[in-house]
């Protein structure tokens, strides 16, 4: 057992800030939260928090670890005046150039960076068209090496190989879900990674592809993870080719349920939003990515019952993502305040709960011991009523001191439990090769 002594306990939902709290970790879960627990559990290993903020682990609810080696990319990228050209000229060339080694280092580097920024969990969305079979297992190995909890999936698409490519993507999703099920049953590996049934976006998945995905959902018991209405083109394509709104089309195949995670949704209709809400599905808002791709702003955020926050591949700094989400919202004349976006950040724990079958997101007995620990010396009182303001205007990833996942420190006192320098050195070599291969695709 581990006793985190003298912590400032911080919880987002319901919100509280309490000083002088002890948190007892037994195995992978929180056993007790209270005061003066050392005398009650003398056998526990004590770690003095010295007043540090201890909060439930931060969740990034939509990411692309395959973009991990794209930072500062030096490749011949043609001018890209619109969203579709950005996809074709950059991202679809990058993912085509990925091989097994590049996928591994992308995933491992992104896992380490996520932890360093305070995340205990990341929900990933993967693509590597020239390395489909086995790609999710490779990503999983990076999650486990770093100690990060998360989910991943392969994005089904027809953009390179039509029906054959869609089928390969569906098969990889099913195979990975079955691998997870077998690993859970065997029980000799940490249960850190779960599965979605992934897809790129409705405009690159035909009805035949959606039918295959529906069967995969049925066979595996998982939900879908998919981009929708990131750009107006996706909506126009759905209307032109299928005569349906996007979510209505997905729902007609039985793909919208309480495990559904859709990303972006800037241009969804009111009916689409009603369907998603009625089914209990989630929408991931990615403010910085939307700004970077110049796709517009989602003025409908307040209409979604289950709105979560992601980065869409722009790192995994969720403190920064929350700030951008709030500031962009205010700049666009929106009515929401930091408390709303703090709840959106917290709600990623609900996705984990539905998929891992455990409790997340609260400093309570029985919850998973996934924790984010911060050094934050506030110049003003830190209270439950003003915690959202502290996070929007003060707290940042530079305050991250430690991260615990499944009751184990995966980052402690700003140090990983293993030497990461060789990993970063090798990643730089792999990134250079990846960029060279991207130019060969031109």
């Amino acid at each position: 057992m581990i006793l985190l002594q003298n912590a400032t306990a911080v919880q987002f939902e319901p919100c509280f800030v309490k000083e002088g709290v002890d948190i007892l970790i037994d195995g992978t879960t929180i056993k007790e939260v209270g005061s003066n627990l050392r005398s009650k559990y003398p056998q526990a290993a004590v770690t003095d928090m010295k007043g540090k903020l201890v909060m439930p682990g931060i969740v990034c609810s939509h990411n692309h670890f395959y973009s991990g080696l794209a930072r500062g990319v030096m490749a011949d990228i043609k001018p890209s005046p619109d969203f579709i050209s950005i996809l074709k000229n950059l991202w679809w060339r990058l993912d085509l150039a990925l091989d097994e080694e590049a996928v591994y280092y992308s995933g491992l580097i992104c896992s380490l960076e996520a932890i360093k920024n305070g995340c205990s969990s990341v929900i990933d969305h993967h693509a590597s068209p020239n390395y489909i079979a086995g790609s999710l297992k490779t990503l999983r190995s990076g999650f486990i090496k770093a100690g990060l909890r998360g989910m991943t999936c392969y994005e089904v698409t027809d953009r390179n190989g039509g029906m054959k490519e869609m089928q390969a993507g569906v098969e990889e999703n099913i195979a990975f879900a079955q691998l997870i099920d077998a690993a859970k049953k065997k029980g000799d590996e940490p249960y850190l990674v779960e599965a979605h049934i992934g897809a790129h976006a409705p405009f690159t998945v035909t009805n035949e592809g959606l039918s295959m995905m529906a069967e995969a959902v049925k066979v595996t018991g998982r939900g879908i993870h998919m981009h929708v209405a990131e750009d107006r083109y996706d909506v126009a394509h759905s209307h032109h080719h299928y005569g349906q709104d996007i979510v209505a089309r997905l729902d007609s195949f039985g793909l919208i349920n309480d495990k559904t995670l859709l990303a972006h949704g800037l241009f969804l209709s009111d009916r689409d939003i009603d369907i998603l809400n009625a089914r209990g599905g989630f929408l991931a808002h990615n403010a910085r990515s939307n700004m970077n791709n110049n796709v517009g702003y989602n003025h409908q955020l307040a209409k979604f019952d289950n709105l979560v926050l992601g980065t869409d591949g722009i790192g995994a700094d969720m403190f920064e993502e929350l700030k951008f989400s709030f500031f962009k919202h205010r700049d666009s004349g929106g009515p929401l305040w930091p408390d709303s976006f703090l709840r959106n950040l917290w709600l990623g724990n609900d996705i984990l709960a539905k998929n891992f079958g455990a409790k997340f997101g609260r400093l309570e007995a029985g919850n998973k011991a996934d924790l984010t620990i911060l050094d934050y010396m506030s110049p003003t009182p830190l209270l439950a009523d003003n915690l959202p303001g502290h996070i929007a205007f003060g707290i940042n990833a530079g305050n991250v001191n430690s991260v615990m996942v499944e009751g184990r420190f995966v980052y402690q006192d700003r140090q990983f439990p293993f030497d990461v320098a060789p990993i970063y050195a090798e990643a730089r070599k792999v990134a250079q090769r990846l960029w060279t291969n991207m130019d060969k695709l031109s």
Side-chain angles (χ1 to χ4, degrees):
M1 290 189 289
I2 299 172
L3 180 61
L4 304 182
Q5 190 177 52
N6 190 28
T8 299
V10 174
Q11 185 172 283
F12 296 167
E13 184 78 15
C15 189
F16 65 66
V17 177
K18 300 177 182 177
E19 297 181 355
V21 173
D22 294 347
I23 302 169
L24 184 72
I25 312 298
D26 187 7
T28 66
T29 60
I30 297 172
K31 181 178 178 65
E32 188 171 346
V33 178
S35 58
N36 302 314
L37 295 184
R38 188 170 189 176
S39 60
K40 188 175 179 180
Y41 299 97
Q43 74 276 30
V46 177
T47 300
D48 188 355
M49 291 290 96
K50 299 179 181 178
K52 293 182 181 69
L53 307 191
V54 179
M55 60 184 65
I58 303 296
V59 182
C60 174
S61 293
H62 176 69
N63 208 325
H64 293 293
F65 275 9
Y66 72 80
S67 69
L69 302 182
R71 188 186 307 176
V73 58
M74 298 292 289
D76 183 17
I77 310 298
K78 296 177 181 177
S80 305
D82 55 42
F83 177 64
I84 300 301
S85 62
I86 292 171
L87 292 177
K88 290 180 177 179
N89 295 336
L90 174 56
W91 297 114
W92 291 355
R93 284 174 57 211
L94 176 77
D95 65 36
L96 276 169
L98 291 167
D99 57 17
E100 182 175 359
E101 184 181 41
V103 168
Y104 174 72
Y105 278 99
S106 291
L108 178 54
I109 287 295
C110 284
S111 295
L112 294 172
E113 298 262 300
I115 290 169
K116 191 174 180 179
N117 283 311
C119 286
S120 61
S121 303
V122 172
I123 300 175
D124 180 53
H125 192 258
H126 179 65
S128 53
N130 285 321
Y131 173 54
I132 298 177
S135 60
L136 299 181
K137 182 179 179 180
T138 298
L139 276 174
R140 177 176 179 264
S141 65
F143 274 90
I144 292 175
K145 168 68 176 175
L148 180 69
R149 186 186 302 281
M151 301 183 67
T152 191
C153 61
Y154 191 86
E155 63 170 46
V156 173
T157 181
D158 70 352
R159 64 178 179 262
N160 301 293
M163 177 62 76
K164 184 178 180 180
E165 184 184 19
M166 287 192 297
Q167 186 169 353
V170 172
E171 290 173 353
E172 174 62 4
N173 281 308
I174 294 173
F176 183 66
Q178 292 174 338
L179 181 152
I180 297 298
D181 290 341
K184 282 194 296 182
K185 187 175 182 179
K186 195 174 180 182
D188 60 355
E189 293 180 304
Y191 179 34
L192 289 180
V193 186
E194 253 298 343
H196 273 124
I197 304 301
H200 169 243
F203 73 90
T204 69
V205 184
T206 65
N207 281 348
E208 290 80 6
L210 295 184
S211 292
M212 289 189 290
M213 288 178 60
E215 182 62 24
V217 167
K218 184 178 180 180
V219 168
T220 65
R222 270 62 175 195
I224 69 165
H225 185 181
M226 189 178 198
H227 298 121
V228 296
E230 185 174 1
D231 184 79
R232 292 185 188 277
Y233 178 82
D234 199 14
V235 178
H237 184 278
S238 186
H239 288 163
H240 178 72
H241 290 277
Y242 304 104
Q244 291 177 288
D245 286 346
I246 288 176
V247 177
R249 179 180 168 224
L250 298 176
D251 191 51
S252 70
F253 285 86
L255 293 173
I256 307 297
N257 57 43
D258 66 354
K259 288 186 176 181
T260 297
L261 175 59
L262 303 180
H264 301 289
L266 276 73
F267 307 104
L268 293 179
S269 68
D270 285 342
R271 180 168 178 252
D272 274 345
I273 296 172
D274 288 344
I275 293 171
L276 187 65
N277 287 342
R279 302 286 186 269
F282 295 81
L283 183 84
H285 177 51
N286 309 272
R288 289 183 294 163
S289 174
N290 293 342
M291 295 165 70
N292 181 55
N293 288 328
N294 191 30
V295 291
Y297 183 69
N298 193 336
H299 292 277
Q300 306 185 94
L301 297 181
K303 296 180 180 179
F304 293 92
D305 289 348
N306 295 327
L307 186 73
V308 293
L309 301 183
T311 65
D312 198 41
I314 303 184
D317 184 343
M318 298 310 296
F319 294 105
E320 185 168 78
E321 195 66 39
L322 183 146
K323 289 173 172 62
F324 270 83
S325 297
F326 169 62
F327 294 140
K328 180 61 180 178
H329 182 75
R330 295 297 295 163
D331 183 57
S332 300
L336 303 178
W337 290 94
D339 61 320
S340 294
F341 291 98
L342 187 59
R343 185 179 188 280
N344 299 150
L345 179 60
W346 173 83
L347 199 57
N349 289 286
D350 203 24
I351 299 176
L352 300 180
K354 290 180 184 299
N355 288 278
F356 282 88
K359 296 178 180 179
F360 295 87
R362 291 193 167 97
L363 297 179
E364 297 175 358
N367 274 243
K368 281 291 185 180
D370 290 10
L371 304 172
T372 300
I373 300 168
L374 307 179
D375 285 316
Y376 178 63
M377 188 175 294
S378 175
T380 62
L382 178 62
L383 311 166
D385 287 345
N386 67 12
L387 175 63
H390 278 275
I391 292 181
F393 296 99
I395 294 173
N396 58 61
N399 298 122
V400 176
N401 174 274
S402 304
V403 174
M404 176 179 280
V405 179
E406 282 275 283
R408 181 174 73 90
F409 279 110
V410 296
Y411 186 68
Q412 188 172 18
D413 295 327
R414 294 184 167 82
Q415 295 291 326
F416 289 100
F418 51 87
D419 186 6
V420 300
I423 296 171
Y424 276 77
E426 189 61 31
R428 288 190 288 271
K429 296 177 184 177
V430 176
Q432 184 60 65
R433 180 173 60 79
L434 175 66
W435 299 350
T436 300
N437 290 340
M438 287 176 66
D439 281 341
K440 291 178 181 179
L441 295 170
S442 299

